[in-house]
Amino acid sequence: MTITDEIKSRLDIVDVVSESVQLRKSGSSYTGFCPFHPNTRTPAFVVFPNTQTWRCFGACAEGGDIFSYVMKKEGWDFKEALKQLAQRAGVELAPQQPEDKKRRALEDKLSDLLSGAADYFHQLLLHAPQAEAVRQYVTGRGLTKETVALFKLGYALDSWDACRNHFNMQGYDDEDLVDAGLLTLNEEKDTRYDRFRNRLMIPIYDASGRMAGFGARTLDPDGLPKYPNSPQTAVFDKSRLLFGLDLARRYIREARQVVIVEGYMDVMQAWQAGFRNVVAQMGTALTEAQLRLLKRYTKRFVLALDADAAGATATLRSLEVAREVLDREADVRFDARGLVRHEGRLQADIRVVTLPEGFDPDKLIRADPSAWPSLLDQAKPIVAYVIDIATDGLDMHDGKAKAAVVQQVLPVINDVVNPVEREHYRQILARQLQVDERVLHKVAVPTSRKRVRAVGQPVEPSRTAPDSLESVGLAVAIRGSTAASEMRRADFLRQCLAFPHLISQIDKKLAIHQQALITEADFTRLDDKALWRQIRQRPTHWPVATMDDLWDSLDDDEYLRERVQTLLSIPQTPESELDRLPDRLVLSVLDWRLERTKSLLSEVERLFRESQAQENLEMLELYGQQLRELPSQVRSIDRARGAMSATGRRQTKEHRNMKRNTVRGD
Ligand SMILES: [Zn+2]
């Protein structure tokens, strides 16, 4: 898979376009007003989820894929679009800058070391005599051998230097081990010792399956903390990782929903029972970075909270106070206002469900696997959940208590972005409290940023998704390009690289036959589009050393250079055929345009029938107009092609005659 395919497979064009264009579902596609030309009457902009493409049937009359959309929308070049979308998709690009390379090398080194450590701990768990108790513990928790192997559970010996010695022997020095979080450094005494001792080791991978760190469960009943994690390292940042995501990704997509639980055991138990769209946060409130990570796979999140988590920090009646008292580092696992704001920003659907008292998902699933899906069915939108908890068992005769509930719940409601939804919750709250809804509008509640920060967690800037991405647009053109057409395009570019002076002749011929000049829209591959822009930017009369020149201008653009290299492997037209090359290339252009227009036409015919079935008059008008225009485009290209071929045949004849005459002349 190429890097662009990888990125496309992880992003949904509908998501990306929706951030800047209001889309409406219309049959199998989505429609909206085109962001690229002024229009307010007909929604002529269509997004096709099946092909992950977009098309404007209005003034622009063009389309493309997710890359072309963001490039057009944001004015990015291919390289920037690649960078931004790769970041958004969580796809690693080859390092381009020396610092990046250095950072990547360090991360790779740490990841390799941590993978080695996971293997080392896993072998100990399977075979070490000292690991008997932990083996029993794992079996006692109901985990099968397959699950232990899949999650590569391990055991850290009860020793201060076993791990250190093992990896020192393998050539890693103490500094590496400290960087990876395997050794703890006591700076005062200048000593190092194994961080994890006598623990069940749970490897934590990032979304792409790269080893990042460990969760480690203490086996000593009095041992605290119960689950120490790896410390923050170059590869371990628990606010940006979710346990189990590397395995759960495809199942989250399939289920169109992700379930977020609190513990490693919960994820493993759910997995074992066949519920595979489950990930665990690691002892912190969900961060925006984590939600963004998950949003690559689904928009629908269900938080399954232990009753005590919901209780301890989220007994909402005392939440406000608790927040002010709690240290920021404290274990705030449920942050209702933060979640509502994330939900609005991410256009996500976040729901919450509380487990029955005394149960966590692990225990619940072991007791009765069928209880899990029925529990998830009861998940409620955050605000509804908050209202329920806050009003649960409330004394309806206690005016002060009611006022306190309003003070706690209204700020959450006010954070809801959608006004209809906001009003809906206000009504529910009024009904639950048996007060007139109009009163709620008069209640002053804290809204200032400062206040919000004081009661919530600090707003975390999102490093994965720069603000510019909030407004990223989307879209792609209808594909419909055959391998033969792609070969024609490649050959076209290849010959233009070799004989750039012919481009003006090609343009002239197209103009004579009333055809549009070549633009990047003629190409389907993004690198080809970018390359064509580069070629076009060159002076019309290139010096002979054009190739070197172009090569230099591609500078550090590895992707384009790679493409140019591939193109250069296509045979160059021999000089003797040069006089006929422009005609051949023009014919190529006409061929691929014809193919594309025909394929577009048949797609529009399908959409027209779909709109007919739905009696969607607006779309019928749009597609109907296309059905009138596209056939005339086909005819026009056909005509030009016919004329060109005729000229070609005549010229070939003349060429032959000329050669014959020359021979005779000799
Ligand atoms: Zn348009």
Side-chain angles (χ1 to χ4, degrees):
M1 200 160 28
T2 66
I3 195 98
T4 50
D5 288 340
E6 169 81 18
I7 292 169
K8 284 182 187 175
S9 78
R10 294 206 198 183
L11 298 175
D12 187 351
I13 188 163
V14 179
D15 279 355
V16 178
V17 178
S18 300
E19 286 171 16
S20 48
V21 178
Q22 201 172 352
L23 290 176
R24 225 179 37 200
K25 188 134 176 65
S26 168
S28 60
S29 46
Y30 291 82
T31 56
F33 292 108
C34 177
F36 304 128
H37 78 268
N39 59 129
T40 47
R41 209 176 56 85
T42 326
F45 187 80
V46 186
V47 179
F48 306 93
N50 292 341
T51 51
Q52 291 287 304
T53 59
W54 61 273
R55 180 149 197 105
C56 168
F57 288 104
C60 311
E62 67 168 291
D65 59 8
I66 196 164
F67 280 91
S68 63
Y69 182 84
V70 297
M71 285 161 76
K72 212 166 153 66
K73 187 80 192 27
E74 307 296 330
W76 290 336
D77 61 9
F78 172 62
K79 218 171 128 187
E80 183 65 16
L82 188 68
K83 200 172 109 197
Q84 298 286 352
L85 290 180
Q87 196 168 40
R88 187 182 165 120
V91 172
E92 296 267 356
L93 295 180
Q96 313 241 323
Q97 304 296 328
E99 320 83 86
D100 288 344
K101 279 191 181 147
K102 228 171 118 189
R103 185 179 48 79
R104 260 299 286 260
L106 173 70
E107 287 175 8
D108 287 348
K109 186 178 178 185
L110 292 186
S111 271
D112 288 349
L113 171 53
L114 287 162
S115 291
D119 287 336
Y120 163 73
F121 293 132
H122 185 55
Q123 290 307 319
L124 286 172
L125 176 77
L126 295 182
H127 307 297
Q130 304 95 309
E132 190 47 39
V134 71
R135 281 194 290 268
Q136 276 174 16
Y137 170 80
V138 167
T139 317
R141 295 295 297 252
L143 297 181
T144 64
K145 270 186 191 158
E146 290 74 25
T147 307
V148 169
L150 180 68
F151 287 90
K152 215 175 244 191
L153 300 187
Y155 174 65
L157 293 168
D158 196 2
S159 153
W160 295 91
D161 56 10
C163 177
R164 180 187 180 187
N165 291 339
H166 178 84
F167 285 99
N168 281 166
M169 297 257 289
Q170 301 217 338
Y172 289 101
D173 56 28
D174 285 354
E175 203 186 326
D176 297 333
L177 294 169
V178 171
D179 286 348
L182 292 168
L183 279 193
T184 299
L185 187 65
N186 183 331
E187 285 183 24
E188 268 173 44
K189 295 184 191 164
D190 193 29
T191 54
R192 297 112 203 252
Y193 52 89
D194 286 4
R195 175 181 297 273
F196 303 110
R197 300 175 305 279
N198 191 27
R199 309 226 167 227
L200 171 64
M201 300 298 289
I202 301 153
I204 297 160
Y205 298 85
D206 70 12
S208 58
R210 216 162 60 133
M211 186 52 195
F214 290 97
R217 192 185 200 286
T218 176
L219 296 162
D220 173 357
D222 302 322
L224 281 171
K226 210 161 143 195
Y227 280 103
N229 292 117
S230 288
Q232 176 104 10
T233 69
V235 291
F236 190 82
D237 175 351
K238 65 179 176 177
S239 69
R240 325 181 70 79
L241 290 164
L242 287 150
F243 176 69
L245 182 56
D246 54 312
L247 293 171
R249 274 178 2 187
R250 44 176 273 251
Y251 300 96
I252 294 171
R253 267 229 172 119
E254 262 170 41
R256 295 162 178 275
Q257 170 169 302
V258 59
V259 183
I260 303 155
V261 296
E262 295 190 47
Y264 308 113
M265 278 296 167
D266 301 329
V267 171
M268 292 188 275
Q269 202 61 250
W271 178 275
Q272 208 169 275
F275 307 118
R276 303 194 160 169
N277 58 334
V278 183
V279 299
Q281 58 196 98
M282 284 174 279
T284 57
L286 276 175
T287 63
E288 183 162 339
Q290 288 170 326
L291 291 172
R292 278 187 188 280
L293 195 60
L294 290 173
K295 213 198 146 202
R296 291 171 195 157
Y297 311 103
T298 183
K299 280 184 182 175
R300 195 175 155 121
F301 310 87
V302 177
L303 256 74
L305 294 173
D306 294 357
D308 69 331
T313 50
T315 301
L316 292 192
R317 238 170 286 160
S318 57
L319 189 60
E320 200 81 356
V321 184
R323 285 274 174 67
E324 278 162 11
V325 176
L326 276 173
D327 181 357
R328 283 205 179 146
E329 293 298 308
D331 187 13
V332 181
R333 286 174 294 176
F334 179 70
D335 170 15
R337 288 194 68 180
L339 286 172
V340 169
R341 286 193 298 262
H342 291 329
E343 187 179 43
R345 266 201 300 275
L346 297 171
Q347 297 181 316
D349 173 3
I350 308 180
R351 293 173 186 243
V352 190
V353 67
T354 315
L355 281 129
E357 197 75 46
F359 280 89
D360 55 20
D362 170 32
K363 201 168 162 190
L364 184 84
I365 292 169
R366 269 196 290 161
D368 174 13
S370 73
W372 181 244
S374 25
L375 178 81
L376 297 180
D377 284 345
Q378 296 162 29
K380 289 184 184 145
I382 310 161
V383 184
Y385 175 84
V386 166
I387 294 175
D388 272 8
I389 292 199
T391 57
D392 183 36
L394 186 71
D395 177 2
M396 284 303 157
H397 301 290
D398 185 344
K400 279 206 183 334
K402 283 190 189 180
V405 168
V406 171
Q407 284 296 325
Q408 289 141 14
V409 179
L410 261 193
V412 183
I413 294 179
N414 288 342
D415 282 339
V416 174
V417 174
N418 184 311
V420 176
E421 213 184 322
R422 204 162 51 223
E423 211 43 44
H424 167 76
Y425 290 126
R426 244 193 262 269
Q427 286 164 11
I428 292 185
L429 180 63
R431 218 177 306 137
Q432 297 263 28
L433 295 177
Q434 302 169 8
V435 298
D436 191 322
E437 194 205 327
R438 282 166 297 183
V439 174
L440 294 185
H441 286 278
K442 293 180 193 152
V443 177
V445 291
T447 52
S448 80
R449 271 193 104 86
K450 205 173 149 223
R451 179 75 178 159
V452 168
R453 294 264 180 111
V455 299
Q457 290 203 309
V459 176
E460 193 211 349
S462 168
R463 264 184 287 152
T464 42
D467 284 342
S468 60
L469 275 187
E470 301 270 357
S471 60
V472 157
L474 62 104
V476 186
I478 292 176
R479 279 173 193 150
S481 167
T482 59
S485 277
E486 283 313 299
M487 279 165 65
R488 282 190 200 107
R489 289 184 173 98
D491 174 63
F492 180 92
L493 287 170
R494 199 282 170 256
Q495 307 310 332
C496 287
L497 286 174
F499 311 108
H501 60 281
L502 295 184
I503 295 173
S504 61
Q505 292 185 38
I506 295 169
D507 277 347
K508 215 176 283 166
K509 283 177 192 285
L510 283 168
I512 290 172
H513 295 284
Q514 285 148 27
Q515 300 300 309
L517 302 189
I518 299 154
T519 68
E520 58 188 86
D522 272 296
F523 302 94
T524 51
R525 294 176 54 114
L526 290 160
D527 40 11
D528 286 355
K529 286 175 191 282
L531 187 60
W532 180 251
R533 270 197 306 277
Q534 291 278 351
I535 292 175
R536 268 284 193 227
Q537 276 168 18
R538 326 249 84 213
T540 35
H541 306 290
W542 282 9
V544 181
T546 47
M547 216 33 249
D548 288 348
D549 195 25
L550 179 73
W551 191 253
D552 286 346
S553 76
L554 298 181
D555 198 12
D556 60 343
D557 200 331
E558 292 168 28
Y559 300 98
L560 275 193
R561 282 190 166 197
E562 215 176 288
R563 179 62 176 161
V564 169
Q565 245 153 3
T566 312
L567 289 173
L568 292 181
S569 67
I570 298 171
Q572 176 183 327
T573 303
E575 299 275 339
S576 59
E577 302 285 315
L578 218 51
D579 51 349
R580 276 176 297 166
L581 184 58
D583 278 3
R584 177 160 77 75
L585 294 182
V586 171
L587 273 174
S588 282
V589 175
L590 295 176
D591 277 349
W592 78 56
R593 284 183 183 172
L594 191 66
E595 182 189 85
R596 178 183 274 191
T597 313
K598 281 181 174 169
S599 122
L600 182 59
L601 180 59
S602 71
E603 180 64 14
V604 171
E605 280 165 351
R606 192 186 65 74
L607 292 165
F608 185 79
R609 286 193 301 273
E610 192 181 270
S611 312
Q612 265 177 330
Q614 296 169 344
E615 297 176 32
N616 185 336
L617 295 182
E618 210 172 38
M619 298 318 284
L620 271 177
E621 190 193 321
L622 175 69
Y623 295 133
Q625 195 186 346
Q626 292 295 314
L627 287 183
R628 288 186 294 279
E629 285 170 11
L630 287 171
S632 79
Q633 282 180 29
V634 169
R635 281 195 299 276
S636 159
I637 302 172
D638 246 345
R639 257 198 315 274
R641 225 159 131 253
M644 291 290 304
S645 312
T647 323
R649 274 195 302 277
R650 207 167 53 236
Q651 279 181 353
T652 313
K653 221 163 145 193
E654 281 166 12
H655 188 74
R656 242 185 271 128
N657 288 342
M658 205 170 73
K659 271 197 177 160
R660 219 172 289 148
N661 292 340
T662 323
V663 175
R664 275 188 206 151
D666 277 345

PDB file of all heavy atoms in Angstrom, residues 34 37 56 60, ligand 1:
ATOM      1  N   CYS A  34     -21.071  23.895  -2.814  1.00  0.00           N
ATOM      2  CA  CYS A  34     -19.661  23.782  -3.165  1.00  0.00           C
ATOM      3  C   CYS A  34     -18.853  24.875  -2.462  1.00  0.00           C
ATOM      4  O   CYS A  34     -19.203  26.050  -2.535  1.00  0.00           O
ATOM      5  CB  CYS A  34     -19.488  23.890  -4.671  1.00  0.00           C
ATOM      6  SG  CYS A  34     -17.764  23.856  -5.164  1.00  0.00           S
ATOM      7  N   HIS A  37     -16.920  27.495  -5.267  1.00  0.00           N
ATOM      8  CA  HIS A  37     -17.486  28.536  -6.134  1.00  0.00           C
ATOM      9  C   HIS A  37     -18.702  29.121  -5.420  1.00  0.00           C
ATOM     10  O   HIS A  37     -19.368  28.430  -4.660  1.00  0.00           O
ATOM     11  CB  HIS A  37     -17.810  27.997  -7.536  1.00  0.00           C
ATOM     12  CG  HIS A  37     -19.070  27.187  -7.628  1.00  0.00           C
ATOM     13  ND1 HIS A  37     -19.094  25.818  -7.486  1.00  0.00           N
ATOM     14  CD2 HIS A  37     -20.355  27.565  -7.841  1.00  0.00           C
ATOM     15  CE1 HIS A  37     -20.336  25.385  -7.625  1.00  0.00           C
ATOM     16  NE2 HIS A  37     -21.126  26.418  -7.829  1.00  0.00           N
ATOM     17  N   CYS A  56     -17.824  18.539  -7.867  1.00  0.00           N
ATOM     18  CA  CYS A  56     -18.716  19.688  -7.990  1.00  0.00           C
ATOM     19  C   CYS A  56     -19.348  19.609  -9.374  1.00  0.00           C
ATOM     20  O   CYS A  56     -18.650  19.633 -10.377  1.00  0.00           O
ATOM     21  CB  CYS A  56     -17.956  21.004  -7.834  1.00  0.00           C
ATOM     22  SG  CYS A  56     -18.973  22.430  -8.330  1.00  0.00           S
ATOM     23  N   CYS A  60     -17.534  24.621 -10.972  1.00  0.00           N
ATOM     24  CA  CYS A  60     -16.165  24.087 -10.970  1.00  0.00           C
ATOM     25  C   CYS A  60     -16.024  22.907 -11.928  1.00  0.00           C
ATOM     26  O   CYS A  60     -15.005  22.757 -12.580  1.00  0.00           O
ATOM     27  CB  CYS A  60     -15.746  23.611  -9.590  1.00  0.00           C
ATOM     28  SG  CYS A  60     -16.051  24.784  -8.292  1.00  0.00           S
TER      29      CYS A  60
HETATM   30 ZN    ZN B   1     -17.981  24.235  -7.347  1.00  0.00          ZN
END
